[in-house]
Amino acid sequence: MKLLIKNIGTIVGIDESGRDRVCGAEMSHIGTLDDGWLLAVDGLIADYGAMSTCPAVADAEIIDAGGGMLLPSFCDSHTHLVYAGSREQEFLDKINGLSYEQIAQRGGGILNSADRLHETSEDELYRQVMERIDEIIAMGTGLVEIKSGYGLSTEDELKMLRVIRRIRRDSPVAVRSTFLGAHAVARAYTGRQQEYVDMVCREMIPAVAAEGLADFVDVFCDKGFFTVGQTEQIMRCGAEYGMRAKIHANELDISGGVEAGVRHGALSVDHLERMGDEQIEALRGSATMPTMLPGAAFFLGMSYPPARKMIDAGLAVALASDYNPGSSPSGNMRMVVSLASIKMKMTPAEAINAATLNGAAAMGESAHYGSITRGKVANVFITKPLPSLAFLPYAHQTPVIRHIILGGKHIKTLSI
Ligand code: NIG
Ligand code: FE
């Protein structure tokens, strides 16, 4: 299977260095080539170059990019997009002054989604989720991490993870899955949080591992949710079953989750709306990717993570959507890139590096995804002709994506 893309105005995101992430000051550079072509063979990027060297490839499907830009697909390393229904009633509560924590304390929030998920069949859930998957594919995402965490019982957590497995099989988007049993304490365990955590370790993790349903394990380590001790207990248990940790930390408080994640070699620590100098210091020299979710800060009216301070301290940072019904009901990675530029003062190059190669690194996948590199999976999108790369975050609602290519296949043409 061969696909040749010709007349690309600019190829963006070229990287042949072999690095797995872009750090600190390097994040403000992104490799480009003007007036180019790209050839995908059997799903992988085989070669690319300047139009003056464009090969004639027998039996290749041809796409004429018409001078548009070609970028690596977004690598969205943090979503909760398997959920049933929606929660706009709580959105109204928020408009009327309640905070995210107050809504959770009243039994809303995650527990509300758990009730709905319990009542929804696996097939119906799959149908709802596939709509969201088609939506994010059309917005340029090519690799996505999806969490469980609205089941909160062994049976319902398995239901969610089986839906994720079906999406992984059926959809052209690449999927990685995370077990998040410790997202909230299930209603049946109210007032017995430690017993719930013990059950997550004794019953849920072995059951998930027995079916090979999760790549990673996550814990909501924050004020009002799970403690550092409980987070460490779950990370240790996950590690016994080969699941690396990705931790929710420092959304509601300086929770200790960042330091705990680093101590346990977590792949990423995510959210980070509340970060002090000590947390930035803890991340320096570690393999743990700090991942920011500006869509959640935007939707909940929280302060944004200190991206500039982290990048200026030499850290690599990633950006993800957090697509979920309570704090970020959108999986639009372009909007995430725009928020990063507008609200966190990340340059377009920094934001795109954070949403592509560094997002892939936050899933341990940068050997295969996240940049235009010979041998990587041919997951790319093509835009209409743009005046410059900065146009992408600047004109944040202008539809610019024309073609979606996933696994070297031309999946979609958007009429814009
Ligand atoms: O990442 N913070 C924890 N979990 C989600 C929100 C989940 C929900 O409200 O349904 C988040 O923001
Ligand atoms: Fe989240």
Side-chain angles (χ1 to χ4, degrees):
M1 191 184 64
K2 295 178 187 166
L3 178 71
L4 178 64
I5 307 168
K6 292 179 164 182
N7 298 321
I8 303 166
T10 308
I11 303 179
V12 179
I14 295 173
D15 191 322
E16 297 292 350
S17 68
R19 63 188 165 176
D20 81 322
R21 65 192 66 201
V22 202
C23 301
E26 290 178 359
M27 288 190 69
S28 58
H29 303 289
I30 192 155
T32 60
L33 174 72
D34 288 339
D35 194 20
W37 56 271
L38 182 140
L39 175 68
V41 178
D42 295 335
L44 304 180
I45 298 172
D47 207 357
Y48 54 85
M51 267 317 278
S52 55
T53 67
C54 187
V57 185
D59 58 309
E61 181 188 341
I62 309 269
I63 298 180
D64 189 330
M69 282 190 188
L70 179 143
L71 286 96
S73 300
F74 294 121
C75 299
D76 188 352
S77 62
H78 182 139
T79 82
H80 311 246
L81 61 75
V82 174
Y83 57 85
S86 54
R87 302 219 307 262
E88 63 272 15
Q89 180 53 48
E90 293 175 7
F91 174 62
L92 299 177
D93 292 342
K94 275 182 213 121
I95 293 171
N96 289 320
L98 289 187
S99 69
Y100 182 78
E101 285 153 292
Q102 286 167 327
I103 290 169
Q105 277 154 13
R106 294 200 322 182
I110 294 165
L111 294 182
N112 184 355
S113 284
D115 292 342
R116 281 165 199 248
L117 188 123
H118 182 67
E119 289 150 15
T120 306
S121 71
E122 187 182 311
D123 285 346
E124 170 57 18
L125 193 58
Y126 172 82
R127 193 194 61 72
Q128 292 185 18
V129 174
M130 258 316 192
E131 279 184 17
R132 293 180 200 126
I133 291 286
D134 288 343
E135 176 196 319
I136 64 168
I137 288 174
M139 294 188 296
T141 295
L143 169 63
V144 63
E145 180 259 18
I146 313 176
K147 300 175 194 296
S148 70
Y150 294 121
L152 311 182
S153 68
T154 304
E155 190 191 336
D156 288 343
E157 285 293 307
L158 291 175
K159 176 162 81 177
M160 289 186 77
L161 290 164
R162 288 183 190 129
V163 167
I164 299 172
R165 181 171 59 191
R166 281 170 71 181
I167 297 163
R168 192 170 181 158
R169 286 181 187 158
D170 297 352
S171 166
V173 76
V175 174
R176 295 295 173 269
S177 65
T178 299
F179 167 66
L180 175 55
H183 197 192
V185 177
R187 283 194 204 283
Y189 282 80
T190 305
R192 298 186 291 139
Q193 174 148 342
Q194 186 55 43
E195 278 179 53
Y196 181 72
V197 171
D198 293 341
M199 189 274 287
V200 165
C201 292
R202 196 185 55 247
E203 193 179 308
M204 287 189 182
I205 292 180
V208 167
E211 288 189 44
L213 287 170
D215 302 300
F216 312 119
V217 65
D218 193 348
V219 180
F220 191 2
C221 180
D222 225 318
K223 192 168 123 201
F225 289 83
F226 294 91
T227 66
V228 167
Q230 293 167 338
T231 304
E232 295 196 299
Q233 182 184 342
I234 292 171
M235 284 195 283
R236 262 189 233 107
C237 178
E240 279 174 31
Y241 288 89
M243 299 174 203
R244 272 186 86 180
K246 289 170 69 65
I247 298 298
H248 277 75
N250 295 34
E251 174 183 3
L252 308 171
D253 202 0
I254 299 208
S255 67
V258 170
E259 294 88 333
V262 169
R263 274 198 303 278
H264 288 259
L267 258 179
S268 69
V269 286
D270 303 29
H271 265 290
L272 316 180
E273 285 83 0
R274 302 178 202 247
M275 287 285 276
D277 293 342
E278 300 85 341
Q279 288 70 44
I280 294 180
E281 205 40 51
L283 283 160
R284 275 198 334 167
S286 83
T288 302
M289 179 67 73
T291 299
M292 302 176 292
L293 315 168
F298 170 68
F299 189 77
L300 297 182
M302 297 187 291
S303 54
Y304 287 81
R308 275 267 54 88
K309 254 182 127 172
M310 289 195 267
I311 296 171
D312 294 346
L315 298 182
V317 299
L319 286 165
S321 74
D322 199 18
Y323 195 175
N324 77 75
S327 64
S328 182
S330 164
N332 186 344
M333 284 296 283
R334 220 184 117 208
M335 182 63 184
V336 168
V337 166
S338 290
L339 285 172
S341 292
I342 298 162
K343 296 292 189 182
M344 305 197 295
K345 306 297 175 213
M346 290 173 70
T347 65
E350 286 173 336
I352 289 166
N353 276 319
T356 54
L357 187 59
N358 287 359
M363 294 177 264
E365 286 293 341
S366 32
H368 306 292
Y369 297 92
S371 59
I372 304 301
T373 304
R374 293 180 187 94
K376 283 198 185 183
V377 175
N379 276 7
V380 303
F381 63 85
I382 301 168
T383 70
K384 68 179 188 179
L386 304 180
S388 74
L389 187 59
F391 188 87
L392 208 67
Y394 155 81
H396 53 89
Q397 297 305 321
T398 304
V400 296
I401 299 180
R402 255 188 191 160
H403 299 283
I404 304 286
I405 290 107
L406 294 176
K409 275 200 199 119
H410 190 189
I411 298 297
K412 215 182 236 321
T413 302
L414 294 116
S415 48
I416 49 170

mmCIF file of all heavy atoms in Angstrom, residues 290-314:
data_model
loop_
_atom_site.group_PDB
_atom_site.id
_atom_site.type_symbol
_atom_site.label_atom_id
_atom_site.label_comp_id
_atom_site.label_asym_id
_atom_site.label_seq_id
_atom_site.Cartn_x
_atom_site.Cartn_y
_atom_site.Cartn_z
ATOM 1 N N PRO A 290 5.698 16.017 32.403
ATOM 2 C CA PRO A 290 4.634 16.888 32.916
ATOM 3 C C PRO A 290 3.652 17.206 31.784
ATOM 4 O O PRO A 290 4.057 17.663 30.722
ATOM 5 C CB PRO A 290 5.380 18.152 33.374
ATOM 6 C CG PRO A 290 6.745 18.073 32.804
ATOM 7 C CD PRO A 290 6.995 16.700 32.270
ATOM 8 N N THR A 291 2.391 16.914 32.038
ATOM 9 C CA THR A 291 1.376 17.042 30.980
ATOM 10 C C THR A 291 0.302 18.029 31.420
ATOM 11 O O THR A 291 -0.277 17.885 32.497
ATOM 12 C CB THR A 291 0.773 15.655 30.683
ATOM 13 O OG1 THR A 291 1.838 14.804 30.238
ATOM 14 C CG2 THR A 291 -0.305 15.724 29.619
ATOM 15 N N MET A 292 0.074 19.011 30.575
ATOM 16 C CA MET A 292 -0.867 20.084 30.930
ATOM 17 C C MET A 292 -2.142 19.946 30.110
ATOM 18 O O MET A 292 -2.099 19.571 28.937
ATOM 19 C CB MET A 292 -0.208 21.436 30.671
ATOM 20 C CG MET A 292 1.081 21.581 31.453
ATOM 21 S SD MET A 292 1.942 23.100 31.073
ATOM 22 C CE MET A 292 2.455 22.806 29.403
ATOM 23 N N LEU A 293 -3.262 20.286 30.758
ATOM 24 C CA LEU A 293 -4.579 20.077 30.161
ATOM 25 C C LEU A 293 -5.335 21.411 30.188
ATOM 26 O O LEU A 293 -6.269 21.589 30.976
ATOM 27 C CB LEU A 293 -5.333 19.016 30.992
ATOM 28 C CG LEU A 293 -4.506 17.770 31.375
ATOM 29 C CD1 LEU A 293 -5.239 16.935 32.419
ATOM 30 C CD2 LEU A 293 -4.197 16.929 30.153
ATOM 31 N N PRO A 294 -4.944 22.357 29.353
ATOM 32 C CA PRO A 294 -5.526 23.704 29.471
ATOM 33 C C PRO A 294 -7.021 23.749 29.198
ATOM 34 O O PRO A 294 -7.693 24.689 29.638
ATOM 35 C CB PRO A 294 -4.736 24.534 28.450
ATOM 36 C CG PRO A 294 -4.098 23.554 27.533
ATOM 37 C CD PRO A 294 -3.888 22.299 28.318
ATOM 38 N N GLY A 295 -7.568 22.732 28.517
ATOM 39 C CA GLY A 295 -9.019 22.691 28.301
ATOM 40 C C GLY A 295 -9.770 22.601 29.622
ATOM 41 O O GLY A 295 -10.869 23.148 29.765
ATOM 42 N N ALA A 296 -9.180 21.924 30.616
ATOM 43 C CA ALA A 296 -9.821 21.800 31.934
ATOM 44 C C ALA A 296 -9.736 23.128 32.686
ATOM 45 O O ALA A 296 -10.712 23.565 33.306
ATOM 46 C CB ALA A 296 -9.180 20.678 32.734
ATOM 47 N N ALA A 297 -8.576 23.776 32.630
ATOM 48 C CA ALA A 297 -8.431 25.086 33.293
ATOM 49 C C ALA A 297 -9.403 26.090 32.677
ATOM 50 O O ALA A 297 -10.047 26.886 33.379
ATOM 51 C CB ALA A 297 -6.995 25.578 33.162
ATOM 52 N N PHE A 298 -9.554 26.012 31.356
ATOM 53 C CA PHE A 298 -10.474 26.915 30.640
ATOM 54 C C PHE A 298 -11.917 26.663 31.087
ATOM 55 O O PHE A 298 -12.639 27.576 31.471
ATOM 56 C CB PHE A 298 -10.316 26.663 29.134
ATOM 57 C CG PHE A 298 -11.350 27.329 28.267
ATOM 58 C CD1 PHE A 298 -11.384 28.704 28.138
ATOM 59 C CD2 PHE A 298 -12.279 26.570 27.573
ATOM 60 C CE1 PHE A 298 -12.344 29.320 27.329
ATOM 61 C CE2 PHE A 298 -13.234 27.171 26.768
ATOM 62 C CZ PHE A 298 -13.268 28.550 26.652
ATOM 63 N N PHE A 299 -12.311 25.393 31.074
ATOM 64 C CA PHE A 299 -13.720 25.058 31.338
ATOM 65 C C PHE A 299 -14.092 25.293 32.799
ATOM 66 O O PHE A 299 -15.211 25.710 33.102
ATOM 67 C CB PHE A 299 -13.965 23.585 30.957
ATOM 68 C CG PHE A 299 -15.410 23.193 30.975
ATOM 69 C CD1 PHE A 299 -16.262 23.561 29.934
ATOM 70 C CD2 PHE A 299 -15.944 22.466 32.029
ATOM 71 C CE1 PHE A 299 -17.603 23.197 29.949
ATOM 72 C CE2 PHE A 299 -17.284 22.095 32.047
ATOM 73 C CZ PHE A 299 -18.119 22.461 31.005
ATOM 74 N N LEU A 300 -13.143 25.021 33.725
ATOM 75 C CA LEU A 300 -13.456 25.180 35.157
ATOM 76 C C LEU A 300 -13.045 26.550 35.692
ATOM 77 O O LEU A 300 -13.226 26.833 36.873
ATOM 78 C CB LEU A 300 -12.763 24.077 35.977
ATOM 79 C CG LEU A 300 -13.201 22.632 35.694
ATOM 80 C CD1 LEU A 300 -12.467 21.666 36.617
ATOM 81 C CD2 LEU A 300 -14.710 22.460 35.846
ATOM 82 N N GLY A 301 -12.465 27.391 34.847
ATOM 83 C CA GLY A 301 -12.058 28.723 35.297
ATOM 84 C C GLY A 301 -10.932 28.654 36.322
ATOM 85 O O GLY A 301 -10.885 29.450 37.261
ATOM 86 N N MET A 302 -10.012 27.691 36.150
ATOM 87 C CA MET A 302 -8.880 27.566 37.086
ATOM 88 C C MET A 302 -7.687 28.337 36.530
ATOM 89 O O MET A 302 -7.667 28.735 35.372
ATOM 90 C CB MET A 302 -8.489 26.085 37.233
ATOM 91 C CG MET A 302 -9.566 25.209 37.823
ATOM 92 S SD MET A 302 -8.973 23.537 38.158
ATOM 93 C CE MET A 302 -8.739 22.871 36.514
ATOM 94 N N SER A 303 -6.662 28.463 37.380
ATOM 95 C CA SER A 303 -5.443 29.070 36.856
ATOM 96 C C SER A 303 -4.746 28.044 35.949
ATOM 97 O O SER A 303 -4.903 26.838 36.133
ATOM 98 C CB SER A 303 -4.518 29.485 38.000
ATOM 99 O OG SER A 303 -4.301 28.372 38.815
ATOM 100 N N TYR A 304 -4.018 28.534 34.978
ATOM 101 C CA TYR A 304 -3.346 27.650 34.020
ATOM 102 C C TYR A 304 -2.007 27.172 34.593
ATOM 103 O O TYR A 304 -1.395 27.881 35.392
ATOM 104 C CB TYR A 304 -3.132 28.389 32.692
ATOM 105 C CG TYR A 304 -4.428 28.565 31.928
ATOM 106 C CD1 TYR A 304 -5.305 29.599 32.252
ATOM 107 C CD2 TYR A 304 -4.795 27.688 30.923
ATOM 108 C CE1 TYR A 304 -6.516 29.744 31.576
ATOM 109 C CE2 TYR A 304 -5.994 27.829 30.244
ATOM 110 C CZ TYR A 304 -6.845 28.861 30.574
ATOM 111 O OH TYR A 304 -8.042 28.996 29.916
ATOM 112 N N PRO A 305 -1.547 26.000 34.182
ATOM 113 C CA PRO A 305 -0.236 25.529 34.643
ATOM 114 C C PRO A 305 0.869 26.498 34.200
ATOM 115 O O PRO A 305 0.761 27.125 33.143
ATOM 116 C CB PRO A 305 -0.069 24.182 33.933
ATOM 117 C CG PRO A 305 -1.444 23.778 33.520
ATOM 118 C CD PRO A 305 -2.204 25.033 33.277
ATOM 119 N N PRO A 306 1.933 26.595 35.007
ATOM 120 C CA PRO A 306 3.020 27.543 34.676
ATOM 121 C C PRO A 306 3.947 26.981 33.591
ATOM 122 O O PRO A 306 5.096 26.623 33.857
ATOM 123 C CB PRO A 306 3.748 27.705 36.012
ATOM 124 C CG PRO A 306 3.521 26.400 36.717
ATOM 125 C CD PRO A 306 2.179 25.894 36.282
ATOM 126 N N ALA A 307 3.425 26.935 32.377
ATOM 127 C CA ALA A 307 4.172 26.306 31.278
ATOM 128 C C ALA A 307 5.520 26.985 31.050
ATOM 129 O O ALA A 307 6.545 26.317 30.874
ATOM 130 C CB ALA A 307 3.334 26.362 30.005
ATOM 131 N N ARG A 308 5.523 28.319 31.058
ATOM 132 C CA ARG A 308 6.768 29.049 30.754
ATOM 133 C C ARG A 308 7.855 28.704 31.760
ATOM 134 O O ARG A 308 9.001 28.463 31.406
ATOM 135 C CB ARG A 308 6.544 30.578 30.792
ATOM 136 C CG ARG A 308 6.044 31.187 29.555
ATOM 137 C CD ARG A 308 7.152 31.742 28.598
ATOM 138 N NE ARG A 308 8.196 30.837 28.201
ATOM 139 C CZ ARG A 308 8.171 30.013 27.148
ATOM 140 N NH1 ARG A 308 7.167 29.998 26.337
ATOM 141 N NH2 ARG A 308 9.185 29.234 26.885
ATOM 142 N N LYS A 309 7.444 28.673 33.051
ATOM 143 C CA LYS A 309 8.429 28.367 34.101
ATOM 144 C C LYS A 309 9.002 26.970 33.899
ATOM 145 O O LYS A 309 10.199 26.743 34.080
ATOM 146 C CB LYS A 309 7.731 28.403 35.469
ATOM 147 C CG LYS A 309 8.071 29.623 36.284
ATOM 148 C CD LYS A 309 7.381 29.551 37.624
ATOM 149 C CE LYS A 309 8.395 29.746 38.729
ATOM 150 N NZ LYS A 309 7.739 29.869 40.038
ATOM 151 N N MET A 310 8.140 26.039 33.500
ATOM 152 C CA MET A 310 8.606 24.657 33.337
ATOM 153 C C MET A 310 9.553 24.546 32.133
ATOM 154 O O MET A 310 10.598 23.920 32.214
ATOM 155 C CB MET A 310 7.409 23.709 33.177
ATOM 156 C CG MET A 310 6.632 23.545 34.469
ATOM 157 S SD MET A 310 5.512 22.126 34.415
ATOM 158 C CE MET A 310 4.037 22.892 33.884
ATOM 159 N N ILE A 311 9.167 25.175 31.034
ATOM 160 C CA ILE A 311 10.023 25.105 29.832
ATOM 161 C C ILE A 311 11.333 25.848 30.097
ATOM 162 O O ILE A 311 12.415 25.351 29.763
ATOM 163 C CB ILE A 311 9.290 25.695 28.603
ATOM 164 C CG1 ILE A 311 8.056 24.843 28.262
ATOM 165 C CG2 ILE A 311 10.228 25.778 27.398
ATOM 166 C CD1 ILE A 311 7.132 25.448 27.213
ATOM 167 N N ASP A 312 11.240 27.003 30.745
ATOM 168 C CA ASP A 312 12.457 27.772 31.015
ATOM 169 C C ASP A 312 13.377 27.038 31.995
ATOM 170 O O ASP A 312 14.585 27.284 32.029
ATOM 171 C CB ASP A 312 12.100 29.178 31.520
ATOM 172 C CG ASP A 312 11.386 30.010 30.432
ATOM 173 O OD1 ASP A 312 11.428 29.589 29.244
ATOM 174 O OD2 ASP A 312 10.765 31.044 30.757
ATOM 175 N N ALA A 313 12.799 26.126 32.791
ATOM 176 C CA ALA A 313 13.625 25.303 33.698
ATOM 177 C C ALA A 313 14.231 24.115 32.956
ATOM 178 O O ALA A 313 14.889 23.271 33.563
ATOM 179 C CB ALA A 313 12.775 24.822 34.867
ATOM 180 N N GLY A 314 13.959 24.023 31.652
ATOM 181 C CA GLY A 314 14.588 22.963 30.843
ATOM 182 C C GLY A 314 13.749 21.716 30.694
ATOM 183 O O GLY A 314 14.195 20.730 30.097
#
